[in-house]
Amino acid sequence: MGSMDDWHRAFTQNALVPPHPQRARQLGKESTAFQCVLKWLDGPLIKQGILDMLSELECHLRVSLFDVTYKHFFGRTWKTMVKSTNQLSRQPPRIIFNEPFYFHTTLNHPNVVAVVEVVAEGRKRDGTLQVLSCGFGIIRIFGNKPESPTSAAQDKRLRLYHGTPRALLHPLLQDPIEQSKHMTLMENCSLQYTLKPHPPLEPAFHLLPENLLVSGLQQIPGLLPPHGDTGDVLRKPRFQKPTTRHLDDLFFTLYPSLEKFEEELLELLISDHFREGVSLLDGSTLEVLERRLHVCVHNGLGFVNRPQVAVLVPEMDVALTRSASFSRRVSSSSKNSSGNQALVLRSHLRLPEMVCHPAFAIVFQLEYAFSSPSGADGSAGSSTSLSNLACMHMVRWAVWNPELEAASGKVTLPLQGGIQHNPSHCLVYKVPSASMSSEEVKQVESGTIQFQFSLSSDTPPEHGPKAERRSFRKTPASPSGTPAPAAQDLAAIQDSPVGPGLSLSQLAASPQPPAPRSSSKPPPQSLDRPQSPQGPLLQAEPVLEGRVSHLEADLSQTSLVLGTPAVDHLQELPFTPLHVPIVVGAQTRSSRRQLSRAAMALLQSSGFPEILDASQQPVEAVNPSDPVRFNPQKEESDCRRGNEIVLQFLAFSRAAQDCPGAPWPQTVYFTFQFYRFPPETTPRLQLVKLDGTGKSSSASLSHVLVPINKDGSFEAGSPGFQLRYMVDPGFLKPGEQRWFTHYLAAQTLHVDIWDGDSLLLIGSAGVQMKHLLRQGRPAVQVSHELEVMATEYEQETMVVSGDVAGFGSIKPIGVHTVVKGRLHLTLANVGHMCEPRARGSCSLPPSRSRVISNDGASFFSGGSLLIPGGPRRKRVVQAQKLADVDSELAAMLLTHTRAGQGPQAAGQEADAVHRRKLERMRLVRLQESGGDSGSRRISLLAQQSVRAQHSRDLQVIDAYRERTKTESITSVLSQAITTHHTLYATLGTAEFFEFALKNPHNTQHTVAIEIDSPELSIILDCQEWRHFKEAAGLHTPLEEDMFHLRGSLAPQLYLRPRETAHIPFKYQSFSVGPLAPPQTPAEMSSEKDPESGPLWKHSTMPTKHAKVLFRVESGRPIAVLCLTVEPQPHVVDQVFRFYHPELTFLKKAIRLPPWHTLPGAPVGMPGEDPPVHVRCSDPNVICEAQNVGPGEPRDVFLKVASGPSPEIKDFFVIIYADRWLAEPVQTWQVCLHSLKRVDVSCVAGQLTRLSLVLRGTQTVRKVRAFTSHPQELKTDPAGVFMLPPHGVQDLHVGVRPRRAGSRFVHLNLVDMDYHQLVASWLVCLSCRQPLISKAFEITMAAGEGKGASKRITYTNPYPSQRTYRLHTDRPDLLQFKENSFQVAGGETYTIGLRFGPSGSTGQEEILIYINDHEDKNEEAFCVKVLYQ
């Protein structure tokens, strides 16, 4: 009895709570093994009040599995060893555990988590034990992506929350629970742990149930103790040697007799069926279909293999079919039953999984399968339906724990039943009441099982650890070709009420039911034991049709994939490529300062046109620094529905910090895009210097913008350039007014400023448009002074020495941002009264209604189409002639166009001139015919011809109606079930809505949902659905596992009769049309010419359409949803423009700003940033945001393939801070210019020459070369020259860099007549610094001083006379008295230097380059200037 107690103790202590039924019903997957090591606790976990209240305080950890979706704890709670809390008094406060635990699970879902609870226990003053929870944490086992368990092996820090894990059951906690406002973090408290997959545990799956958390220090039945002193048996499991047990002559005896036992069982089952409302086919009877025995080895934790299933038969049936010797053996074995008929197993059992361990036992389970006959008289009939198999029930079970030293013998065991706990975790048939019985009677009243056992002397080589490992990888085949069952995960067996996983559909394979309560001949041979040397489990006998399709086969739904040879993969080491990040927000911004009064007065006196409102009154001006109080209701209720947006480009001035030596452009033009109007490119505007702009406060305002005529002269009118956009109800679509108002309130207008002659980008500026909100005022205007920013990116170069992780690194590229100038811009919004549109045009946008219903969406009730004097229906169709609605039919008719009532196209052709000519021709023919008789004869013939033509036309019309009748009726019926809806969608934003689908029929249907647009999708994840419902404030029902998915096929939805289900949809588009404006200025057109057309452009955002079909099983639709998607302009937070060599890859890193600085960004947990997700509008662009440590800045990496020169690639990068990508927090526009690359390696201060090949076009062109750095790169010819057609010409380029380093220089070849870009190059400079031969140092006063003059000497080292040229890298701080000089051989020359003043204190190093007559560097001096 000692060994039996060991099994019962292990079985009771390791009872598991099963997963939630909804989760358990999901299709099984391969189980994944994990190892988690809880290392130490950090922080003041226990409050001082607890320390004062309790003594002998100790601490331990508890770990449980939890399903967030269903709020369900499952498995078994695991506890660590108890540790003393004295370690918390040390610094830092830390309790060390270092305890590993292991588990495996098939529930691969992000919402299956492990909950760690910190528990303190101590003694009260009265000596009783007090246990307190001190906080808990949540370990995410699986990532957000399915099939991707957490694989990081490095240490992780688990943040702890106040309270107990019971808080997770609260209904207000929704996923992600870590970000819930009801969860409070414990400051400075955390748990250090590691979690990683543990493949060495896979061979031991048969010894460990699924979802059971076990310690590595716990002894597992079937495993040997580990080597060494670690004590961790599961780190590298070692298996005990199995033994084989043989069972023979197995008999079941039931009380009081088999017949009476089964009669009472059937009566009670029929009574239960009627009580539960389950109808039988004949209304009253059940029959025993089969009696089955399940035999399996159990190690106290779970079944170690799938149970062997065999059929039991009454012993009298065996006696009738067996030999005399077998009958005598049966009678002698069952003579003690007092004539009671027993159930007999006619074969022996072989159990090769046994292990000599006290916790290993053999479990016997007696199961009955019942059927309901198909006829009222019980006659046999066709019984192929599932209803013939009524139910299956386990009626008895027994456990035998063999003695370890016993080799053979005879065993009699009592059967057990009732509600007590059993290994299969299912309900078992009741046992007789034995309250008055003795212990001896109790042993037999429930029945007994008898058998002979023996121990095999040889151990089969198929078993053991290696065989078990193979069984989990590969399924061996049986001799008949059917795959034999493999060792499966055993938790599924424990949770299944039928042991081996048999379903009703697999038992209903018999065309004939057996006789009532009798078992005829046995089923075919077992497929469970193909490797058994004793042969099949059951004796080979003729098989009667109508038996069970056999139960020993592996009928589980999961199938194992054949193993593949292992391939060693290289392990990736933690290594991050270093790209210097481009900081968001540093490219374009508005100036913070206001215009001075002097500058405002200068602008007012320059003659710019005044902006007037609709009443021809001056428009009210607002201060750009004043805050804007935006009230959407006030904007929507404004009676002035028209908004005339005016943009006035007034002046563009050079920034004071810009390099004074650099040339300033003479003409400029601007590119931008306002709302959904086409991208705008302005004409070239001349920069005209203002008079009187000296050192006054208005010095920032130096050049005004003046339009240029086609002949190059200035326009005689007022200065400045003005653009107008009319946004009125005639331009806006119904409901779009609210979107336009939101655009003005949130958007920043980005303007690029270009050089009108060289077509090079000067810089970019951004201006917020929130001041254009009129808020009920008739008109409003605001003036801005915008900083024009230019960003230069230096070339990336590799570093040879490896100083980062030993693998080499990428030298960070340089990013330089320079203020190039200031743009003076005036924005205005003038309100206009508009004529009222048709009723319903000003209604709210349909997208604000989140629920769309198809109940009576569209119908045609029949009857009169137009009832005079009655109410007009929603759908009114007025009869028209067929020829008026079908041009194809009208072309086939002979009399239709003659009557003058043809289609619109025919009416357009019959203009007045054509009719006049036909009338003249008719009169001429009538006169030539002569006489009234002739005319009457002609008239009669004409009438006959008309009748014939009418008859032919009627036949044509009749044939046309017959051909189109079916199509027309189908179209009308389709309209009756079609629902139309309009969405206003923006780039990257998910538009959520629900479609209330109603089943119009009285029968249930499985509806397939077909969508023809990849941008429209069904929300399948219930957590995502809940997220969108909460964001939209929608309170419609939410269902789990709503759709049935079938791979790539359309999802299916089950609908009951007349049931309405809410189907969640999400429309999200990442595609945009062509965005890059041309890099050439537009032609100047006179705005004042009324014949030049409207002053605004049409929309460039095409309307999109999507259709959803809801089809039933027959393929007919029950509903159709037609979506009209109106794309709306999206907010652009940042614009990046890159110039890159053609046909190469651009790789950039863009750094995100801190999350708390972003408007509308979600509030994450304290000290934690929300997850970052990136999407791109171009699928060919690779963009990603890598996960970094807490507190580290986030970078977005871009990888773009540049096209051929001069292609411009324009795309958007969208940043999300939520896992469902619902709404972007940042949207960036990236423009990539592809240029021809020229690599130049040179020395600073020295001239390097190269030549570029120019190829002529079709015609002669007058061209000129321009460069972005004219001080460092010069061309020959320098001015305008002729480029012959189809010719080849060299353009000589001289490069003299002023400073060392790597950077880009742009070179454009421009047609001067048409201002078109002919060719463009990207000159990549790799410049090294010359050897410094002498160094000097001087001290100067900082400020507006006069500077200083100094002299240095230079000696000619050559014996002959030489000519030298002088250059410097800082011409703004140093000028030479002479730029060149001659000196005789060996003579010394004094060089005069003039140092200019510096506006700030500090230190500057100025290089002086002394070059020879070929401009090659001879000497380089360094002068260190200290400004004090």
Side-chain angles (χ1 to χ4, degrees):
M1 292 301 293
S3 59
M4 184 62 72
D5 293 340
D6 292 337
W7 181 87
H8 276 289
R9 187 182 305 108
F11 176 64
T12 305
Q13 292 178 354
N14 292 282
L16 297 178
V17 177
H20 192 274
Q22 292 286 346
R23 184 74 69 192
R25 278 202 297 267
Q26 298 177 4
L27 294 180
K29 306 172 184 176
E30 288 192 5
S31 192
T32 305
F34 291 94
Q35 179 200 49
C36 183
V37 181
L38 304 180
K39 296 192 172 182
W40 60 77
L41 279 170
D42 283 329
L45 294 164
I46 303 175
K47 298 180 180 178
Q48 186 64 35
I50 300 177
L51 295 173
D52 297 338
M53 185 177 60
L54 301 177
S55 60
E56 301 178 14
L57 197 61
E58 295 177 323
C59 178
H60 69 272
L61 303 177
R62 300 180 181 180
V63 185
S64 304
L65 297 178
F66 181 68
D67 194 326
V68 179
T69 302
Y70 303 105
K71 298 187 180 300
H72 178 75
F73 285 96
F74 63 96
R76 186 174 67 91
T77 300
W78 174 78
K79 301 179 182 179
T80 65
M81 298 179 64
V82 178
K83 299 290 184 178
S84 174
T85 58
N86 295 332
Q87 304 176 39
L88 293 178
S89 59
R90 304 173 184 174
Q91 291 299 327
R94 174 174 294 179
I95 301 178
I96 299 176
F97 289 93
N98 281 333
E99 287 195 40
F101 69 91
Y102 302 84
F103 66 97
H104 68 97
T105 180
T106 59
L107 304 179
N108 188 339
H109 194 277
N111 277 0
V112 174
V113 301
V115 180
V116 183
E117 181 183 15
V118 182
V119 180
E121 56 183 43
R123 298 285 177 181
K124 293 184 179 180
R125 295 178 181 176
D126 57 0
T128 59
L129 184 65
Q130 178 74 27
V131 180
L132 297 174
S133 178
C134 298
F136 68 97
I138 301 171
I139 298 177
R140 292 281 179 174
I141 304 172
F142 299 97
N144 290 330
K145 295 182 179 179
E147 311 292 342
S148 61
T150 303
S151 60
Q154 63 267 22
D155 286 3
K156 296 184 179 180
R157 186 168 59 94
L158 180 66
R159 303 182 70 89
L160 301 178
Y161 302 91
H162 287 285
T164 72
R166 289 193 296 273
L168 299 175
L169 303 177
H170 198 282
L172 291 180
L173 282 180
Q174 302 293 338
D175 191 63
I177 52 181
E178 294 91 343
Q179 299 181 12
S180 174
K181 63 180 180 180
H182 304 286
M183 303 279 285
T184 305
L185 277 173
M186 300 177 65
E187 295 184 1
N188 303 322
C189 295
S190 62
L191 170 65
Q192 200 79 8
Y193 75 99
T194 60
L195 175 67
K196 63 180 179 179
H198 190 59
L201 188 63
E202 294 180 5
F205 278 0
H206 64 293
L207 300 177
L208 291 175
E210 183 184 358
N211 305 321
L212 176 64
L213 308 180
V214 293
S215 171
L217 307 178
Q218 179 180 346
Q219 292 299 321
I220 306 300
L223 295 181
L224 294 174
H227 289 298
D229 300 330
T230 60
D232 192 343
V233 299
L234 296 177
R235 189 172 64 88
K236 290 183 179 180
R238 299 168 58 241
F239 297 87
Q240 289 184 263
K241 183 178 180 181
T243 61
T244 302
R245 294 277 177 171
H246 299 273
L247 306 182
D248 294 286
D249 301 336
L250 192 144
F251 296 87
F252 274 88
T253 304
L254 298 173
Y255 180 84
S257 67
L258 178 62
E259 184 176 1
K260 291 182 179 180
F261 176 84
E262 293 182 350
E263 283 181 359
E264 182 184 12
L265 177 61
L266 289 171
E267 290 175 0
L268 293 175
L269 281 176
I270 293 173
S271 176
D272 287 346
H273 276 74
F274 278 109
R275 187 181 303 111
E276 297 173 2
V278 179
S279 61
L280 302 173
L281 287 181
D282 63 353
S284 61
T285 63
L286 277 176
E287 298 175 351
V288 176
L289 181 64
E290 201 164 44
R291 309 162 187 89
R292 295 194 293 274
L293 173 64
H294 301 256
V295 183
C296 191
V297 177
H298 198 284
N299 71 337
L301 303 180
F303 292 107
V304 300
N305 208 335
R306 295 190 66 86
Q308 300 182 27
V309 185
V311 176
L312 298 173
V313 295
E315 73 176 290
M316 293 307 297
D317 294 349
V318 178
L320 294 175
T321 58
R322 290 293 186 182
S323 62
S325 61
F326 185 80
S327 300
R328 287 194 300 270
R329 188 175 63 182
V330 169
S331 60
S332 64
S333 300
S334 58
K335 64 182 179 180
N336 295 329
S337 62
S338 302
N340 182 19
Q341 189 180 8
L343 294 177
V344 181
L345 180 64
R346 295 177 295 183
S347 62
H348 73 277
L349 293 175
R350 179 176 177 272
L351 300 173
E353 303 93 1
M354 280 299 296
V355 174
C356 292
H357 192 281
F360 267 72
I362 300 176
V363 178
F364 304 89
Q365 297 173 341
L366 178 61
E367 184 183 54
Y368 272 63
F370 303 93
S371 68
S372 178
S374 57
D377 55 354
S379 61
S382 176
S383 59
T384 58
S385 66
L386 295 181
S387 60
N388 288 348
L389 180 67
C391 54
M392 292 187 302
H393 291 285
M394 183 185 298
V395 296
R396 291 291 182 265
W397 64 280
V399 176
W400 176 51
N401 193 281
E403 297 291 338
L404 299 181
E405 65 275 1
S408 62
K410 183 177 180 180
V411 177
T412 300
L413 299 174
L415 298 179
Q416 304 181 49
I419 59 175
Q420 62 177 321
H421 195 44
N422 60 82
S424 289
H425 305 285
C426 61
L427 293 177
V428 184
Y429 181 53
K430 69 172 187 174
V431 295
S433 177
S435 58
M436 303 295 293
S437 303
S438 63
E439 291 298 328
E440 292 80 4
V441 176
K442 289 181 181 179
Q443 293 292 326
V444 298
E445 278 189 333
S446 298
T448 59
I449 177 175
Q450 304 176 30
F451 56 88
Q452 298 277 352
F453 74 91
S454 61
L455 180 62
S456 177
S457 59
D458 56 336
T459 301
E462 292 84 5
H463 292 272
K466 296 182 179 179
E468 291 292 345
R469 190 177 297 113
R470 290 196 303 268
S471 67
F472 275 86
R473 302 295 191 274
K474 183 176 179 181
T475 304
S478 64
S480 61
T482 306
Q488 300 288 333
D489 188 80
L490 301 178
I493 301 173
Q494 293 186 347
D495 297 336
S496 174
V498 293
L502 301 174
S503 62
L504 295 179
S505 61
Q506 291 147 353
L507 293 173
S510 54
Q512 291 182 352
R517 296 188 305 277
S518 64
S519 179
S520 299
K521 297 191 177 180
Q525 64 180 10
S526 166
L527 300 179
D528 252 355
R529 251 145 304 292
Q531 74 276 15
S532 174
Q534 286 83 0
L537 173 66
L538 301 178
Q539 299 295 329
E541 292 190 2
V543 180
L544 294 179
E545 293 184 358
R547 298 304 303 147
V548 176
S549 162
H550 210 261
L551 310 176
E552 286 87 338
D554 183 4
L555 300 176
S556 62
Q557 294 180 352
T558 58
S559 61
L560 295 179
V561 183
L562 294 180
T564 56
V567 178
D568 293 334
H569 291 273
L570 290 177
Q571 183 179 4
E572 182 179 0
L573 296 177
F575 171 69
T576 303
L578 298 180
H579 301 270
V580 71
I582 303 165
V583 180
V584 171
Q587 271 62 42
T588 58
R589 65 179 186 265
S590 298
S591 175
R592 296 271 178 171
R593 64 182 189 137
Q594 304 178 25
L595 281 175
S596 64
R597 296 184 184 274
M600 294 292 292
L602 189 59
L603 281 177
Q604 191 75 15
S605 61
S606 298
F608 293 107
E610 187 176 17
I611 302 176
L612 304 177
D613 61 9
S615 303
Q616 301 302 310
Q617 298 296 322
V619 174
E620 175 188 355
V622 298
N623 193 335
S625 61
D626 292 343
V628 176
R629 294 176 175 84
F630 173 45
N631 187 353
Q633 288 75 19
K634 184 177 290 187
E635 288 289 336
E636 294 180 2
S637 61
D638 193 352
C639 60
R640 299 175 179 86
R641 308 297 296 175
N643 294 276
E644 185 183 8
I645 307 299
V646 183
L647 279 74
Q648 271 191 348
F649 296 91
L650 306 178
F652 181 51
S653 304
R654 189 170 192 166
Q657 58 266 40
D658 191 24
C659 182
W664 186 243
Q666 297 180 356
T667 61
V668 296
Y669 68 94
F670 306 94
T671 58
F672 61 92
Q673 183 175 12
F674 175 74
Y675 197 47
R676 56 182 176 87
F677 291 89
E680 185 72 52
T681 302
T682 68
R684 290 192 311 139
L685 304 173
Q686 184 77 31
L687 290 177
V688 178
K689 187 174 179 60
L690 286 173
D691 296 332
T693 56
K695 292 187 177 295
S696 65
S697 58
S698 61
S700 62
L701 182 62
S702 59
H703 294 77
V704 296
L705 300 171
V706 179
I708 304 176
N709 294 324
K710 293 183 177 181
D711 57 357
S713 61
F714 296 170
E715 192 169 319
S718 56
F721 182 74
Q722 183 170 288
L723 285 173
R724 297 175 181 267
Y725 295 93
M726 180 61 74
V727 184
D728 59 1
F731 171 80
L732 298 175
K733 297 172 183 178
E736 193 184 349
Q737 178 69 34
R738 182 174 64 94
W739 293 93
F740 176 69
T741 304
H742 181 267
Y743 170 83
L744 293 181
Q747 177 65 291
T748 298
L749 181 66
H750 295 271
V751 182
D752 289 330
I753 299 92
W754 303 79
D755 189 323
D757 296 326
S758 66
L759 306 185
L760 292 170
L761 179 67
I762 299 175
S764 302
V767 55
Q768 295 180 345
M769 294 184 291
K770 58 186 179 181
H771 293 89
L772 292 181
L773 297 169
R774 291 186 287 108
Q775 295 289 284
R777 293 171 289 189
V780 65
Q781 69 173 345
V782 59
S783 297
H784 290 276
E785 182 184 75
L786 308 177
E787 289 184 348
V788 179
M789 309 290 296
T791 305
E792 297 181 0
Y793 308 101
E794 290 188 352
Q795 183 180 357
E796 300 180 12
T797 56
M798 293 296 296
V799 177
V800 178
S801 62
D803 54 353
V804 178
F807 292 93
S809 61
I810 298 178
K811 181 181 178 180
I813 62 174
V815 180
H816 304 282
T817 303
V818 182
V819 178
K820 303 294 288 186
R822 300 185 183 275
L823 173 65
H824 299 271
L825 176 69
T826 297
L827 306 177
N829 184 358
V830 180
H832 292 275
M833 303 293 293
C834 300
E835 297 181 1
R837 298 182 60 182
R839 186 181 63 181
S841 63
C842 297
S843 62
L844 293 177
S847 62
R848 298 182 74 173
S849 174
R850 299 288 184 176
V851 180
I852 311 168
S853 175
N854 75 323
D855 189 10
S858 179
F859 61 90
F860 180 70
S861 58
S864 176
L865 297 176
L866 187 59
I867 303 176
R872 296 176 64 92
R873 301 181 187 273
K874 183 180 178 181
R875 184 182 297 278
V876 178
V877 181
Q878 192 167 6
Q880 294 180 343
K881 292 185 178 181
L882 291 175
D884 292 339
V885 297
D886 194 301
S887 59
E888 181 183 0
L889 176 64
M892 298 176 62
L893 301 182
L894 299 176
T895 60
H896 182 68
T897 54
R898 182 178 303 173
Q901 298 177 351
Q904 185 178 4
Q908 291 176 352
E909 293 177 1
D911 52 7
V913 177
H914 185 61
R915 287 197 298 270
R916 187 165 58 250
K917 290 181 179 181
L918 291 178
E919 183 65 20
R920 289 177 181 175
M921 182 61 66
R922 189 183 67 81
L923 293 177
V924 170
R925 290 182 177 177
L926 188 62
Q927 184 177 5
E928 291 178 352
S929 62
D932 294 337
S933 60
S935 62
R936 283 196 298 271
R937 188 165 53 250
I938 293 174
S939 177
L940 182 61
L941 293 174
Q943 291 178 3
Q944 293 177 354
S945 176
V946 168
R947 289 193 189 97
Q949 293 174 358
H950 273 295
S951 177
R952 176 184 174 277
D953 288 348
L954 289 175
Q955 295 177 1
V956 172
I957 293 174
D958 185 63
Y960 171 80
R961 292 181 58 191
E962 290 297 327
R963 182 172 65 88
T964 60
K965 183 183 296 184
T966 303
E967 180 182 352
S968 301
I969 294 175
T970 303
S971 175
V972 173
L973 292 177
S974 176
Q975 292 176 6
I977 62 172
T978 301
T979 304
H980 296 272
H981 185 69
T982 302
L983 284 177
Y984 291 88
T986 56
L987 177 70
T989 302
E991 291 294 331
F992 163 73
F993 65 92
E994 291 182 356
F995 183 72
L997 176 64
K998 181 178 181 180
N999 182 6
H1001 304 134
N1002 291 324
T1003 58
Q1004 65 271 16
H1005 284 299
T1006 300
V1007 182
I1009 307 173
E1010 302 176 1
I1011 305 175
D1012 66 350
S1013 173
E1015 297 173 340
L1016 180 65
S1017 61
I1018 303 175
I1019 299 178
L1020 302 175
D1021 194 306
C1022 63
Q1023 299 179 22
E1024 183 180 4
W1025 190 4
R1026 181 182 292 110
H1027 173 83
F1028 281 103
K1029 288 170 74 72
E1030 291 176 353
L1034 206 59
H1035 303 289
T1036 51
L1038 186 145
E1039 300 182 37
E1040 301 277 354
D1041 299 329
M1042 188 174 182
F1043 303 98
H1044 173 55
L1045 305 178
R1046 304 168 298 161
S1048 60
L1049 300 178
Q1052 290 183 337
L1053 171 70
Y1054 176 81
L1055 284 180
R1056 300 176 181 87
R1058 299 290 178 179
E1059 183 187 17
T1060 300
H1062 290 261
I1063 304 176
F1065 286 93
K1066 177 180 69 173
Y1067 182 88
Q1068 193 168 25
S1069 175
F1070 295 101
S1071 61
V1072 291
L1075 296 172
Q1079 198 176 345
T1080 55
E1083 291 293 335
M1084 188 67 194
S1085 61
S1086 175
E1087 290 186 284
K1088 304 176 180 58
D1089 186 5
E1091 301 297 330
S1092 61
L1095 300 179
W1096 59 90
K1097 310 290 191 298
H1098 297 287
S1099 172
T1100 60
M1101 295 186 174
T1103 301
K1104 300 181 180 180
H1105 299 277
K1107 179 182 286 188
V1108 185
L1109 290 177
F1110 302 88
R1111 298 184 186 271
V1112 296
E1113 301 90 334
S1114 61
R1116 290 180 296 180
I1118 61 171
V1120 180
L1121 174 61
C1122 291
L1123 285 178
T1124 302
V1125 182
E1126 300 290 351
Q1128 298 300 312
H1130 54 278
V1131 173
V1132 177
D1133 299 284
Q1134 192 71 42
V1135 178
F1136 297 95
R1137 190 178 298 274
F1138 300 109
Y1139 293 87
H1140 202 66
E1142 62 177 349
L1143 304 177
T1144 57
F1145 281 100
L1146 170 72
K1147 300 177 183 178
K1148 292 291 180 183
I1150 303 177
R1151 175 153 297 174
L1152 294 173
W1155 285 106
H1156 63 274
T1157 63
L1158 297 179
V1163 179
M1165 303 306 297
E1168 293 185 3
D1169 288 337
V1172 178
H1173 303 277
V1174 187
R1175 292 294 182 271
C1176 185
S1177 62
D1178 189 346
N1180 297 319
V1181 175
I1182 298 176
C1183 58
E1184 61 180 0
Q1186 295 185 356
N1187 293 327
V1188 293
E1192 295 292 329
R1194 303 287 187 93
D1195 293 341
V1196 175
F1197 296 94
L1198 295 179
K1199 181 180 178 182
V1200 193
S1202 60
S1205 175
E1207 181 183 275
I1208 302 176
K1209 184 173 291 188
D1210 204 330
F1211 57 91
F1212 292 93
V1213 177
I1214 307 162
I1215 314 296
Y1216 297 91
D1218 62 290
R1219 59 180 295 195
W1220 306 118
L1221 312 186
E1223 188 173 1
V1225 295
Q1226 285 273 286
T1227 303
W1228 302 335
Q1229 182 177 355
V1230 181
C1231 301
L1232 176 60
H1233 297 252
S1234 300
L1235 308 177
K1236 297 179 182 179
R1237 175 169 183 153
V1238 178
D1239 291 294
V1240 180
S1241 179
C1242 51
V1243 180
Q1246 178 176 299
L1247 183 64
T1248 301
R1249 297 179 176 86
L1250 66 149
S1251 297
L1252 300 177
V1253 178
L1254 304 180
R1255 301 185 184 276
T1257 58
Q1258 301 291 335
T1259 58
V1260 178
R1261 289 203 177 217
K1262 187 167 63 174
V1263 297
R1264 182 181 175 182
F1266 295 92
T1267 176
S1268 60
H1269 296 70
Q1271 306 90 349
E1272 298 181 322
L1273 190 147
K1274 299 185 181 299
T1275 61
D1276 184 21
V1280 179
F1281 61 94
M1282 304 300 295
L1283 182 62
H1286 304 290
V1288 177
Q1289 186 173 343
D1290 286 340
L1291 177 65
H1292 301 283
V1293 178
V1295 180
R1296 182 188 288 109
R1298 290 180 175 176
R1299 56 187 175 88
S1302 300
R1303 59 189 181 277
F1304 295 126
V1305 177
H1306 303 283
L1307 178 62
N1308 282 358
L1309 189 67
V1310 181
D1311 188 321
M1312 299 304 295
D1313 291 333
Y1314 296 96
H1315 299 284
Q1316 294 178 349
L1317 189 64
V1318 178
S1320 184
W1321 291 270
L1322 187 66
V1323 183
C1324 304
L1325 299 181
S1326 177
C1327 181
R1328 64 182 185 276
Q1329 185 170 323
L1331 181 64
I1332 305 298
S1333 57
K1334 291 183 181 180
F1336 305 90
E1337 182 175 341
I1338 62 172
T1339 301
M1340 295 181 56
E1344 299 293 331
K1346 297 182 180 180
S1349 297
K1350 299 292 180 180
R1351 291 181 298 175
I1352 59 174
T1353 59
Y1354 176 73
T1355 302
N1356 182 8
Y1358 299 99
S1360 59
Q1361 180 177 331
R1362 294 295 178 99
T1363 300
Y1364 295 96
R1365 300 178 181 178
L1366 299 176
H1367 301 280
T1368 179
D1369 65 335
R1370 295 298 304 272
D1372 56 327
L1373 297 179
L1374 174 63
Q1375 289 83 35
F1376 300 103
K1377 182 178 180 181
E1378 298 175 349
N1379 291 327
S1380 63
F1381 62 92
Q1382 288 184 354
V1383 57
E1387 297 292 332
T1388 300
Y1389 182 81
T1390 301
I1391 303 174
L1393 307 177
R1394 175 68 181 176
F1395 291 92
S1398 175
S1400 60
T1401 60
Q1403 175 181 306
E1404 295 285 350
E1405 288 189 355
I1406 303 176
L1407 295 180
I1408 300 175
Y1409 305 114
I1410 302 177
N1411 297 349
D1412 60 8
H1413 65 284
E1414 295 181 352
D1415 228 338
K1416 292 182 180 180
N1417 185 253
E1418 287 276 356
E1419 297 279 353
F1421 298 161
C1422 178
V1423 181
K1424 182 182 295 185
V1425 184
L1426 299 178
Y1427 293 96
Q1428 297 178 352

